[in-house]
Amino acid sequence: MDLSLSDEQRQLVDAFTALYARMSTSEQVRAAEPLGFDRELWRAMLDTGVLEMAVSEDDGGWGATELDLALVAEQHGRAIAPAPLIETQVAAKLLARCGSEQLGPVLGGERLVTFAPRSARDGRAGLVPAGAVADAAVVLHDDRLLLVPIAAGTRQIDNLAAMPLADIPIGPEATVLAEGPDAVELHAYALDRWLLLSALALVGIAARAVELGVDYAKRRHAFGVPIGSFQAVAHPLADSATAVDGARLLGYRAACAYAEEPDRAAELSAMAFVFAYETARDATLRSLHIHGGYGFGMEGDIQLYYRRARGWALVYAEPPLVLDRVADARYGPVAAR
């Protein structure tokens, strides 16, 4: 399988790299805390077409492939951008697949609709990404796929990663998008893509964490030499750099599977998510350790990545539990037995 990027894909990466370099610097990320939402950045992303690219041309979009979306997600993670990219793209794809009339206002930027990876329980959707800033969320509840309005002023759940998470009550005003097996299948369709794009965002976090560690190891001196010359510093960074390459390769492989091996897409997306999480977890820890006490200070950039590597991955579940989806894809509903 050829995973090299086309000229158009390289231009796509360059465009979003430039956008984030301009509007998601570490200072701007800090300024968006604790809510974790920069409205100006979000508006710029909308103007760039982040939602249109997620849906087909027949639905009023650009028809980007899953690999295209994954490339953008990776740059989003590198910049730890304080705007809801992945959950809104997945929600837009889901609304398009359901034929919802709400898709038009979403693509036009009139409504911010997010996706809830967790199924709702007892009339409440928990830890909904962007729930504290969105107008509505697509939620699976009791075998019904619902578009749930979110009341203005919904309170953020405090979290280490400074994400606009919120618990969303499901009231009678919710709109039914699908019911029964169709609803479950549609939610699984969206969850697979959420896992894939989250995996690439974690790859971006890991890659940037390694760069921060390498840069500090070059600048920090001990015994008259850069600390990067010590094996105890260089080898962990090399291990993380190798793991980043592997996680990126697996993520791209999973993205390509949606077009080339659709029967394996769910399995590969789950594998990519878990591997990317472990890579980002270890890379941020190693880099923070190399920074020493400075790494724990709020003025250091590495702590921004350390916190988000964990928080972004835990929105759905403990990452190892995602491997149940690999078993389910290969052997049937193993997790339910």
Side-chain angles (χ1 to χ4, degrees), residues 39-94:
R39 194 168 297 277
E40 184 178 351
L41 171 60
W42 174 240
R43 177 52 58 184
M45 291 168 62
L46 288 176
D47 291 343
T48 306
V50 291
L51 295 183
E52 286 95 334
M53 70 181 295
V55 300
S56 69
E57 295 181 3
D58 291 341
D59 292 312
W62 301 355
T65 66
E66 271 73 15
L67 179 56
D68 295 334
L69 300 179
L71 294 172
V72 174
E74 184 177 352
Q75 299 311 309
H76 189 79
R78 283 184 61 90
I80 49 174
L85 171 72
I86 294 169
E87 50 268 43
T88 55
Q89 286 186 331
V90 170
K93 290 178 76 71
L94 195 48

Side-chain angles (χ1 to χ4, degrees), residues 252-331:
Y252 289 0
R253 173 75 175 76
C256 291
Y258 284 88
E260 301 181 13
E261 291 182 284
D263 290 343
R264 294 204 64 201
E267 172 190 358
L268 289 168
S269 294
M271 291 168 62
F273 177 81
V274 176
F275 188 24
Y277 161 69
E278 292 173 349
T279 299
R281 176 198 64 195
D282 294 345
T284 54
L285 176 60
R286 288 165 176 162
S287 185
L288 186 143
H289 181 71
I290 288 167
H291 279 76
Y294 175 70
F296 289 88
M298 297 303 287
E299 69 274 15
D301 287 351
I302 186 57
Q303 55 85 18
L304 297 172
Y305 289 83
Y306 179 92
R307 291 189 284 121
R308 284 159 179 81
R310 287 145 183 82
W312 287 13
L314 289 169
V315 167
Y316 172 59
E318 289 285 343
L321 296 179
V322 177
L323 292 177
D324 286 345
R325 296 182 65 79
V326 178
D328 290 347
R330 286 192 169 227
Y331 307 112

Side-chain angles (χ1 to χ4, degrees), residues 186-209:
L186 285 165
H187 188 265
Y189 161 92
L191 181 56
D192 290 338
R193 286 155 177 80
W194 184 88
L195 290 170
L196 168 68
L197 300 182
S198 295
L200 269 299
L202 290 167
V203 169
I205 286 178
R208 183 58 184 148

Side-chain angles (χ1 to χ4, degrees), residues 22 35 50 88 101 117 132 140 149 161-162 166 168 183 201-202 206 219 221 235 242 249 265 279 281 286 300 323 335:
R22 187 176 72 254
L35 180 59
V50 291
T88 55
E101 61 184 14
L140 181 66
I168 307 301
L202 290 167
R219 292 185 287 107
H221 284 63
H235 287 188
T242 302
L249 181 63
T279 299
R281 176 198 64 195
R286 288 165 176 162
L323 292 177

